[in-house]
Amino acid sequence: MPEIKVTPLGAGQDVGRSCILVSIAGKNVMLDCGMHMGYNDDRRFPDFSYITQNGRLTDFLDCVIISHFHLDHCGALPYFSEMVGYDGPIYMTHPTKAICPILLEDYRKITVDKKGETNFFTSQMIKDCMKKVVAVHLHQTVQVDDELEIKAYYAGHVLGAAMFQIKVGSESAVYTGDYNMTPDRHLGAAWIDKCRPNLLITESTYATTIRDSKRCRERDFLKKVHETVERGGKVLIPVFALGRAQELCILLETFWERMNLKAPIYFSTGLTEKANHYYKLFITWTNQKIRKTFVQRNMFEFKHIKAFDRAFADNPGPMVVFATPGMLHAGQSLQIFRKWAGNEKNMVIMPGYCVQGTVGHKILSGQRKLEMEGRQILEVKMQVEYMSFSAHADAKGIMQLVRQAEPDNVLLVHGEAKKMEFLKQKIEQEFHVNCYMPANGETVTLLTHPNIPVGISLGLLKREMALGLLPDAKRPKLMHGTLIMKDNNFRLVSSEQALKELGLAEHQLRFTCRVHIHDTRKEQETVLRVYSHLKSVLKAHSVQHLPDGSVMVESILIQATAHSEDPGTKVLLVSWTYQDEELGSYLTSLLKKGLPQAPS
Amino acid sequence: MGPYSLSGHPTLPCNVLKFKSTTIMLDCGLDMTSTLNFLPLPLVQSPRLSNLPGWALKDGNTFLDKELKECSGHVFVDSVPEFCLPETELIDLSTVDVILISNYHCMMALPYITEHTGFTGTVYATEPTVQIGRLLMEELVNFIERVPKAQSASLWKNKEVQRLLPAPLKDAVEVSTWRRCYTMQEVNSALSKIQLVGYSQKIELFGAVQVTPLSSGYALGSSNWIIQSHYEKVSYVSGSSLLTTHPQPMDQTSLKNSDVLILTGLTQIPTANPDGMVGEFCSNLALTVRNGGNVLIPCYPSGVIYDLLECLYQYIDSAGLSNVPFYFISPVANSSLEFAQIFAEWLCHNKQTKVYLPEPPFPHAELIQTNKLKHYPSIHGDFSNEFKQPCVVFTGHPSLRFGDVVHFMELWGKSSLNTVIFTEPDFSYLDALAPYQPLAMKCIYCPIDTRLNFIQVSKLLKEVQMRKLRPERRRDSHKVAQVPLHVVCPEQYTQPPPAQAHRMDLVIDCQPPAMSYRRAEVLALPFKRRYEKIEIMPELADSLVPLEIKPGISLATVSAVLHTKDNKHVLQSPPRPIQPPASKKRKRVSDDIPDCKLLKPLLSGSIPVDQFVQTLEKHGFSDVKVEDTAKGHIVLLQEAETLIQIEEDSTHIICDNDEMLRVRLRDLVLKFLQKF
């Protein structure tokens, strides 16, 4: 029985290190290749030895697909392809291909240059890895090989984020990556057609959350920033360089303009300018409104937002700083946080999800005394605010996507076990499909029942269709044909054609039964009696009285002859072919019962 | 199945194909050469044009002098210019299900079709095609609407009158169907019917046909289309290029295994080499400017202009032209330059790589930044204040009948220092210039047409014909390699151009010979559909019993229920017969009547008499006798008064009405036969 197997190496009942193995109709695909922000040891990368202990990964995987540029989805890619060794194709969208090497380089720098780690991937490895990447368009059907095809759908979330359909024959699975079902200030909403996959693998970050309207959150955010700035405080917004950052920049830029505010807004890394440039060049990936107006006013050219310099952090007076990375686990955002944490006038706004183990996660869970490197204790007096701006689908959105795609099965990844449990029940109740939530290293096996495609000769098909377009539910029409199987070529043709093609002659099998009935009249009259009797019984059949004195029921011939010895008995010869056997045998038994008395 | 040819213009095609009960329009080109018969629309009052003498018939009759004006021996219609639409009478266009657009030049007739024929279908095109197509339409509408012309001439169109006119007016076709330009409202409505598609996207039409756009290498977002079912494949090749300019290269491999290839949009200048033309363009431009003259380049607002700007970007410093201003004047100039930069995914590899840096893919961004290239919506406004001579002006329309170019022709035409360089191949430059004669200005003809030439076509056809064996498409498995590729093309491609009648190399050369069509003609495509895809449900498949008939060939008889929905066919196991509840009601006679539609299989094989007799004896028939006949044998079972005639391909059992006996004998016979 054909089956689909799924094993998460990362993101199984967890957020971070997304990496899911899927086997479908004998093809093996790896979905995402991320790193875990919460770990600094071996656990930060997926355990690729699971795929094979002693062979080359290239021999085991038909392709790798990266859903978007966030490091928890692509951070392990150079390690996987260059250090473990994989030379097969890696698929991602154009924006992802453009941006992901920059984030990888950033990540490498922080790890090697700042933390001083050795045995990490090098800049050259990132370059070599990217050479293996094949960029895909939205909705393009990419033929990985003769059987395996993949197709990308728009996912919102971040620039270039995509959901992927993997298809072999009539079996298919969809992997959502991270997605967002509501358009935001710079991106559109995820969309998929009713592709009815055997399996939908969906993220479930906000499995239990139903978020209020985006407008409210935006108003809240602006109010908090405004209040802090008004009282002379500093606002730190840890972000990842690409994604939420642009959305919040657009938000603040328009607010500053409208309110005529003067407090400076900074964007920390040198990446800003560049990042905004990517948004300008890939504007076709943003939302409708931005795309429509970009010739007149490019939303990614900011007037109020300036580049940040490290020295500015000590400047007196209010300011707003966007700093990377977004979970306060390293880099500039953490440095600024340490500087500003002690002052209660200041505020840090966490606009996205933080994985366990990061400073971001700690302060969000209420911790106010943090142990920093060198056993130093940092006391957090500044206000800590959390605002969910991460562009993930909430529970409603996930349900909506399931409804759109109409899968046979759902599998949850990229979420916390407890929350998944809740969503799993909801999905099973509402859609009556199986829902799975494997942990890392745990395999889910699904049986599939694919139809078998064959070619049917048009002659046969048209003959069948001509018999009636509306099949009667009570008496379904049977079609009959011969399936010719040669090599891997299956063709269904009429039996006559099959015989002809194979150079075989038809063998006709005919039966003729003698039915004796008592009748003293002449043969012609007997025949007439037979005719009228059959005519009255067989209303739905063609019954004919032929000029040569015989009766024809469909293609069954009935003749009457005199009995050689008994003049009071007539012999009916009923003759039919094997193909008419049911009717022939029915007629003989009917005639055997005798003819009704003729009206005198 | 067509194609029904609705356009006579080989590079602005409009064909309709009926394929598996789906009606597909391929492109929607608008023949604008009709406008060459009209007087130019000047932006600024032109005394010269308004004082042209009216035209009089040979006999001195002047009843047409309001409509027709004469200029240097040519006669022009003094009216709002009109376009030659695709044929609308040949086929009911409201039955068109979809329109496939191959590039932005081939969609200019779209508003006429979608807004005025009862069309209710969907149009498919790539995003760059739609965006740039919109710009072209917007420019066209703007050019025509901003010079309102009171006069709309119609007298000359009268058949009796037209006959009396000088050529080319006399020979213009179907002038009665010529129409004025559409409005922006119609453009917007037409474009709202377009659904965006990406290269290699498989689009299902009604479950019966799949269409797929492929990169054609000619322009931003330009596509060829595959129209296929599971067993037939038609390729529509329109406006393709193998040269490396800015667009993504042409996808040739996906055209393989086509049964029919419809070929349109080849180069209009088969004898000119585009690279050479670009060189000539640059040197003529430099020469004129160095001598203090101005250069006018009539052009479309998108397409080759991007490549020309790129060439100039590399050329101006070395040619000492750094201080010469370049102007691009079009109502859509800014949009066109901006749009070019955002379609990274539709560009050639080199340009894509730039975007990854991230840098704008086209260097015109830098030309604009450094003020070397300036763009204006029209000659009015800022341009008139900032404009310095000598300069280079890119502006439309290439027909020289409307747009800002008309003004520059009037302004610069009198001086031999100035040069007009024709790069667009759509209009004959001599015809374009006719209403401006006499001219002192230099005219250089450097047509740049990157579309396929005949040498490239024959290479392409060979490539496409190299069939990859695809098992599922095999019909007569051993004949695969010989299945021919049928080429269908406009008649212009099957004979050399009239001006070069001896050039037999300027035709499509293929075997079997190309089938050609002309405007308002219907062709029959030369293939017959023989197979259709059907799916067998797994439980039915499991119940099949394959029997190996010949080595490698197995057969299985299938009796199943056919379900057809949305043009998809599925075979399901027949339902188990429902046992009628025996206790209820007395059965009616008719309940027993078998349904004759329940087909039994055919039989094949022959019955070896000796073995058959042995079998009979084994089954208890003791008095078997065999008689030879001319064609076979007769087996007699005396006691049962039964005789069985056995011949090579028939068996006849003649017996008394003893159903048990008959069935026993039948089963023994069937043992020797195969069922189909």
Side-chain angles (χ1 to χ4, degrees):
Chain A
M1 197 52 105
E3 55 184 30
I4 298 178
K5 277 190 185 179
V6 185
T7 314
L9 298 184
Q13 303 182 3
D14 186 19
V15 175
R17 203 178 73 178
S18 280
C19 184
I20 299 131
L21 295 175
V22 176
S23 295
I24 176 165
K27 302 284 170 185
N28 298 316
V29 178
M30 187 164 105
L31 302 168
D32 280 337
C33 189
M35 54 82 98
H36 203 298
M37 314 242 181
Y39 299 117
N40 280 321
D41 53 21
D42 281 352
R43 290 173 295 173
R44 70 180 158 205
F45 291 153
D47 177 12
F48 298 114
S49 66
Y50 179 93
I51 303 172
T52 166
Q53 298 275 330
N54 43 17
R56 281 157 31 87
L57 288 173
T58 317
D59 301 332
F60 284 83
L61 292 173
D62 292 284
C63 74
V64 173
I65 293 171
I66 302 295
S67 65
H68 63 287
F69 60 63
H70 278 156
L71 289 173
D72 59 329
H73 293 260
C74 70
L77 198 58
Y79 168 76
F80 163 77
S81 75
E82 305 311 306
M83 296 174 77
V84 184
Y86 169 77
D87 299 318
I90 302 168
Y91 294 98
M92 50 178 88
T93 65
H94 282 272
T96 308
K97 186 181 173 187
I99 296 165
C100 129
I102 294 165
L103 297 186
L104 287 170
E105 181 56 30
D106 224 41
Y107 173 40
R108 190 199 66 81
K109 267 193 201 145
I110 289 176
T111 314
V112 177
D113 300 355
K114 296 240 169 84
K115 294 189 191 157
E117 272 193 52
T118 51
N119 194 24
F120 203 70
F121 54 77
T122 63
S123 297
Q124 188 56 44
M125 285 178 185
I126 298 175
K127 284 186 191 132
D128 292 340
C129 166
M130 293 313 291
K131 282 183 195 147
K132 298 172 185 171
V133 173
V134 181
V136 301
H137 295 243
L138 281 183
H139 302 164
Q140 171 191 11
T141 301
V142 179
Q143 213 70 45
V144 177
D145 58 34
D146 280 349
E147 286 145 356
L148 174 62
E149 57 181 51
I150 62 171
K151 179 177 176 182
Y153 291 94
Y154 191 78
H157 188 63
V158 289
L159 193 74
M163 309 189 273
F164 279 88
Q165 182 192 44
I166 311 149
K167 200 170 169 194
V168 182
S170 60
E171 290 166 85
S172 67
V174 169
Y175 172 58
T176 64
D178 292 356
Y179 64 102
N180 187 8
M181 293 299 281
T182 46
D184 62 30
R185 281 190 182 257
H186 74 303
L187 296 173
W191 178 86
I192 195 161
D193 54 7
K194 206 179 277 305
C195 56
R196 299 197 173 100
N198 298 99
L199 175 66
L200 174 75
I201 304 172
T202 175
E203 66 134 324
S204 50
T205 322
Y206 290 120
T208 54
T209 325
I210 304 281
R211 284 184 295 174
D212 48 2
S213 91
K214 191 109 189 181
R215 294 267 154 213
C216 294
R217 265 177 288 145
E218 285 177 359
R219 213 168 27 231
D220 240 33
F221 169 78
L222 291 172
K223 198 172 140 215
K224 278 176 184 150
V225 173
H226 192 195
E227 280 169 4
T228 310
V229 171
E230 286 287 273
R231 66 169 178 258
K234 297 176 166 64
V235 182
L236 171 64
I237 309 170
V239 287
F240 288 98
L242 287 131
R244 256 355 70 197
Q246 278 67 31
E247 183 185 0
L248 296 178
C249 282
I250 294 175
L251 194 61
L252 279 190
E253 168 91 8
T254 34
F255 186 71
W256 248 237
E257 185 122 351
R258 200 175 68 222
M259 305 293 289
N260 199 17
L261 296 181
K262 294 285 177 267
I265 309 174
Y266 298 112
F267 202 116
S268 77
T269 59
L271 213 59
T272 353
E273 190 82 354
K274 226 173 163 182
N276 291 339
H277 221 95
Y278 280 114
Y279 277 84
K280 281 190 233 166
L281 293 173
F282 285 111
I283 213 137
T284 53
W285 285 80
T286 59
N287 70 25
Q288 203 79 39
K289 194 181 153 207
I290 294 186
R291 279 156 59 179
K292 257 200 170 141
T293 55
F294 91 103
V295 176
Q296 290 78 41
R297 162 144 176 57
N298 199 317
M299 289 294 265
F300 297 103
E301 274 160 19
F302 300 117
K303 268 186 259 163
H304 296 273
I305 302 168
K306 311 235 159 47
F308 181 73
D309 186 292
R310 189 182 296 215
F312 294 173
D314 299 320
N315 283 0
M319 67 173 86
V320 180
V321 175
F322 289 96
T324 56
M327 298 186 193
L328 286 180
H329 56 284
Q332 201 150 29
S333 62
L334 187 59
Q335 279 172 21
I336 300 172
F337 174 75
R338 289 168 80 158
K339 275 200 177 138
W340 294 357
N343 190 337
E344 61 276 351
K345 270 206 302 195
N346 297 339
M347 177 183 284
V348 58
I349 301 181
M350 306 297 299
Y353 183 88
C354 291
V355 298
Q356 225 158 17
T358 60
V359 171
H361 188 265
K362 284 176 195 156
I363 58 170
L364 282 184
S365 49
Q367 222 175 308
R368 287 296 174 264
K369 286 206 166 79
L370 302 171
E371 190 178 325
M372 307 306 278
E373 287 154 50
R375 305 218 152 208
Q376 200 188 335
I377 299 291
L378 180 71
E379 195 167 343
V380 182
K381 289 189 184 148
M382 77 198 295
Q383 296 176 57
V384 178
E385 294 287 345
Y386 171 69
M387 311 209 88
S388 153
F389 274 96
S390 9
H392 292 280
D394 62 3
K396 221 164 90 192
I398 297 170
M399 299 298 275
Q400 198 184 332
L401 188 87
V402 176
R403 199 168 300 123
Q404 265 182 30
E406 277 192 11
D408 299 337
N409 297 278
V410 177
L411 189 144
L412 304 178
V413 294
H414 200 282
E416 292 161 32
K418 262 191 204 154
K419 296 181 179 174
M420 280 184 176
E421 199 71 62
F422 173 81
L423 184 66
K424 173 175 143 67
Q425 275 179 17
K426 221 174 133 180
I427 289 174
E428 288 182 332
Q429 271 168 20
E430 186 160 342
F431 300 109
H432 309 288
V433 298
N434 291 325
C435 185
Y436 306 87
M437 40 174 283
N440 288 333
E442 196 182 312
T443 301
V444 170
T445 305
L446 305 168
L447 294 182
T448 58
H449 309 278
N451 288 351
I452 293 143
V454 305
I456 182 167
S457 83
L458 267 184
L460 178 61
L461 183 65
K462 285 195 173 146
R463 188 171 85 188
E464 292 305 322
M465 309 244 294
L467 288 177
L469 282 172
L470 294 169
D472 181 353
K474 285 182 206 144
R475 291 185 133 183
K477 293 231 167 69
L478 279 188
M479 83 172 270
H480 184 83
T482 301
L483 188 62
I484 306 180
M485 290 166 274
K486 192 182 164 192
D487 306 327
N488 274 324
N489 174 16
F490 290 40
R491 286 176 307 132
L492 184 60
V493 298
S494 65
S495 306
E496 294 88 342
Q497 192 184 335
L499 285 176
K500 208 169 121 194
E501 270 187 40
L502 292 163
L504 300 174
E506 189 194 337
H507 190 105
Q508 208 187 55
L509 176 56
R510 179 167 276 283
F511 305 96
T512 300
C513 278
R514 295 182 290 262
V515 182
H516 299 260
I517 55 170
H518 181 77
D519 192 353
T520 51
R521 276 164 273 206
K522 283 185 181 164
E523 286 97 70
Q524 290 92 326
E525 286 170 47
T526 311
V527 167
L528 268 178
R529 284 182 69 201
V530 168
Y531 171 68
S532 48
H533 177 46
L534 293 182
K535 188 92 184 163
S536 71
V537 176
L538 301 170
K539 294 217 166 60
H541 292 74
S542 130
V543 182
Q544 290 167 281
H545 187 204
L546 298 181
D548 69 354
S550 53
V551 173
M552 201 61 166
V553 180
E554 300 289 341
S555 57
I556 293 163
L557 197 67
I558 305 168
Q559 285 169 315
T561 57
H563 196 276
S564 51
E565 290 149 24
D566 178 4
T569 300
K570 297 285 175 296
V571 180
L572 296 176
L573 294 174
V574 185
S575 178
W576 69 91
T577 63
Y578 172 65
Q579 282 70 29
D580 294 320
E581 191 173 27
E582 266 81 17
L583 190 57
S585 121
Y586 169 77
L587 284 180
T588 52
S589 60
L590 181 69
L591 292 171
K592 202 174 170 185
K593 291 178 193 152
L595 299 171
Q597 278 308 308
S600 42
Chain B
M1 65 189 305
Y4 300 73
S5 172
L6 310 186
S7 160
H9 197 300
T11 29
L12 298 167
C14 182
N15 291 308
V16 173
L17 191 69
K18 288 193 176 179
F19 187 54
K20 286 190 76 182
S21 62
T22 308
T23 306
I24 303 170
M25 180 181 277
L26 304 169
D27 276 331
C28 213
L30 182 62
D31 187 349
M32 291 201 245
T33 52
S34 57
T35 60
L36 292 175
N37 296 297
F38 292 78
L39 270 190
L41 290 180
L43 261 180
V44 178
Q45 170 76 13
S46 156
R48 186 187 71 86
L49 286 172
S50 41
N51 291 331
L52 286 175
W55 180 76
L57 271 81
K58 269 188 207 122
D59 60 6
N61 195 329
T62 59
F63 78 104
L64 281 167
D65 70 344
K66 289 259 170 356
E67 293 202 347
L68 301 181
K69 305 282 175 184
E70 195 165 350
C71 176
S72 306
H74 288 84
V75 176
F76 297 94
V77 183
D78 187 10
S79 166
V80 186
E82 295 179 336
F83 306 116
C84 179
L85 271 51
E87 191 67 43
T88 50
E89 302 295 312
L90 192 61
I91 180 171
D92 178 2
L93 293 176
S94 69
T95 63
V96 171
D97 296 309
V98 295
I99 302 178
L100 308 180
I101 302 293
S102 58
N103 63 66
Y104 46 75
H105 286 299
C106 292
M107 61 185 277
M108 297 299 279
L110 202 57
Y112 294 115
I113 305 293
T114 60
E115 306 310 300
H116 299 287
T117 62
F119 173 80
T120 54
T122 310
V123 186
Y124 291 97
T126 63
E127 184 168 7
T129 300
V130 177
Q131 297 297 1
I132 295 174
R134 176 193 294 277
L135 297 182
L136 293 183
M137 290 180 176
E138 223 177 285
E139 187 192 59
L140 188 66
V141 172
N142 187 294
F143 280 165
I144 299 214
E145 283 186 353
R146 74 184 175 184
V147 191
K149 192 150 182 141
Q151 172 153 299
S152 181
S154 57
L155 260 180
W156 71 277
K157 289 182 173 182
N158 183 304
K159 273 213 168 80
E160 292 308 306
V161 178
Q162 197 196 353
R163 210 163 37 85
L164 305 170
L165 305 180
L169 276 178
K170 183 175 67 177
D171 308 317
V173 291
E174 311 212 25
V175 291
S176 60
T177 66
W178 289 11
R179 289 287 172 270
R180 291 172 168 223
C181 189
Y182 30 73
T183 64
M184 221 36 226
Q185 199 185 354
E186 288 169 313
V187 169
N188 287 329
S189 170
L191 296 181
S192 71
K193 293 170 177 132
I194 301 184
Q195 196 164 322
L196 298 184
V197 294
Y199 288 150
S200 304
Q201 179 176 349
K202 295 178 177 172
I203 303 137
E204 294 284 338
L205 304 180
F206 317 109
V209 182
Q210 193 183 62
V211 295
T212 308
L214 305 173
S215 176
S216 79
Y218 166 58
L220 267 176
S222 71
S223 359
N224 294 321
W225 289 84
I226 304 281
I227 302 129
Q228 65 186 342
S229 69
H230 287 275
Y231 289 91
E232 301 83 17
K233 178 169 174 179
V234 178
S235 289
Y236 174 57
V237 172
S238 165
S240 298
S241 177
L242 292 170
L243 298 181
T244 318
T245 57
H246 59 273
Q248 212 182 90
M250 176 180 179
D251 178 352
Q252 295 183 67
T253 39
S254 306
L255 299 173
K256 286 194 176 188
N257 293 312
S258 297
D259 299 292
V260 174
L261 190 137
I262 303 173
L263 186 60
T264 66
L266 303 186
T267 174
Q268 302 187 73
I269 322 288
T271 47
N273 162 14
D275 281 336
M277 288 295 144
V278 171
E280 221 167 285
F281 166 81
C282 287
S283 57
N284 277 297
L285 184 145
L287 190 69
T288 305
V289 177
R290 263 188 232 121
N291 292 333
N294 300 296
V295 178
L296 178 62
I297 302 139
C299 63
Y300 292 114
S302 177
V304 176
I305 185 171
Y306 303 141
D307 298 312
L308 291 179
L309 289 174
E310 184 155 3
C311 285
L312 290 171
Y313 169 81
Q314 289 154 3
Y315 182 75
I316 43 180
D317 288 328
S318 64
L321 300 176
S322 327
N323 297 319
V324 179
F326 286 74
Y327 300 116
F328 176 17
I329 302 168
S330 160
V332 298
N334 185 25
S335 298
S336 166
L337 293 170
E338 290 285 339
F339 269 113
Q341 307 287 20
I342 66 158
F343 291 125
E345 290 159 76
W346 308 86
L347 295 173
C348 64
H349 180 76
N350 273 345
K351 297 221 175 298
Q352 259 178 28
T353 322
K354 280 190 126 178
V355 176
Y356 290 168
L357 292 177
E359 278 172 21
F362 285 96
H364 61 238
E366 198 184 318
L367 287 175
I368 294 167
Q369 226 168 33
T370 54
N371 267 329
K372 284 176 181 158
L373 172 66
K374 292 186 179 180
H375 53 82
Y376 300 92
S378 93
I379 52 167
H380 298 303
D382 292 348
F383 175 74
S384 45
N385 305 323
E386 294 169 16
F387 154 67
K388 286 191 191 72
Q389 302 193 65
C391 64
V392 176
V393 170
F394 290 87
T395 189
H397 185 270
S399 65
L400 304 192
R401 291 304 179 270
F402 37 81
D404 302 86
V405 73
V406 176
H407 176 73
F408 288 100
M409 284 305 294
E410 294 288 324
L411 186 71
W412 291 344
K414 295 167 211 84
S415 165
S416 60
L417 278 179
N418 302 327
T419 306
V420 54
I421 308 182
F422 292 89
T423 54
E424 302 286 358
D426 284 357
F427 301 92
S428 142
Y429 80 105
L430 289 174
D431 291 346
L433 287 172
Y436 299 95
Q437 299 294 1
L439 262 180
M441 184 181 207
K442 270 202 294 285
C443 303
I444 305 288
Y445 182 52
C446 292
I448 298 170
D449 195 332
T450 56
R451 286 171 281 206
L452 297 175
N453 62 35
F454 290 99
I455 300 168
Q456 292 165 328
V457 165
S458 68
K459 242 184 94 188
L460 173 73
L461 292 180
K462 280 204 189 94
E463 198 78 4
V464 171
Q465 268 175 316
M466 300 260 285
R467 278 168 178 268
K468 184 166 75 167
L469 291 186
R470 283 204 321 200
E472 79 274 17
R473 277 175 47 83
R474 289 196 201 173
R475 296 145 232 214
D476 303 317
S477 43
H478 45 281
K479 285 189 200 150
V480 169
Q482 283 99 41
V483 178
L485 169 70
H486 296 282
V487 176
V488 177
C489 67
E491 64 170 348
Q492 287 92 335
Y493 298 158
T494 56
Q495 56 216 26
Q500 290 145 307
H502 62 289
R503 293 287 300 266
M504 284 314 288
D505 56 328
L506 300 183
V507 298
I508 290 180
D509 177 25
C510 61
Q511 268 319 316
M515 306 173 61
S516 68
Y517 63 78
R518 62 171 74 179
R519 187 180 166 107
E521 226 177 48
V522 187
L523 276 188
L525 286 191
F527 69 74
K528 210 173 161 246
R529 305 200 309 116
R530 289 159 83 188
Y531 281 94
E532 177 76 273
K533 189 184 146 181
I534 195 164
E535 291 191 349
I536 297 185
M537 303 256 301
E539 57 278 20
L540 173 63
D542 286 344
S543 73
L544 297 180
V545 190
L547 193 73
E548 188 159 15
I549 295 288
K550 291 179 179 177
I553 304 178
S554 302
L555 297 184
T557 52
V558 180
S559 288
V561 181
L562 172 69
H563 289 278
T564 298
K565 198 182 163 191
D566 300 335
N567 286 318
K568 298 235 184 288
H569 312 291
V570 176
L571 283 181
Q572 212 178 38
S573 297
R576 299 235 160 70
I578 308 156
Q579 294 298 328
S583 57
K584 280 188 189 170
K585 271 192 190 172
R586 207 173 66 88
K587 280 199 292 184
R588 289 201 319 249
V589 195
S590 61
D591 286 343
D592 288 340
I593 303 172
D595 187 349
C596 63
K597 299 277 177 358
L598 281 164
L599 278 171
K600 283 248 177 181
L602 295 183
L603 303 172
S604 178
S606 55
I607 298 176
V609 173
D610 297 343
Q611 285 177 44
F612 181 59
V613 170
Q614 281 171 25
T615 310
L616 285 175
E617 284 169 346
K618 218 186 280 171
H619 284 80
F621 297 94
S622 51
D623 55 345
V624 184
K625 270 205 179 145
V626 179
E627 288 172 15
D628 288 354
T629 64
K631 284 184 180 165
H633 311 273
I634 291 180
V635 178
L636 285 164
L637 306 175
Q638 286 170 311
E639 193 183 320
E641 286 188 49
T642 294
L643 106 173
I644 305 167
Q645 289 174 352
I646 298 176
E647 290 178 7
E648 179 61 28
D649 46 18
S650 69
T651 301
H652 194 170
I653 300 172
I654 302 161
C655 60
D656 268 343
N657 187 12
D658 180 346
E659 186 68 3
M660 288 264 287
L661 172 70
R662 188 187 69 80
V663 170
R664 263 176 79 200
L665 291 173
R666 177 198 69 188
D667 291 343
L668 293 180
V669 168
L670 287 180
K671 278 190 182 191
F672 294 92
L673 298 172
Q674 288 146 352
K675 291 183 185 176
F676 287 87

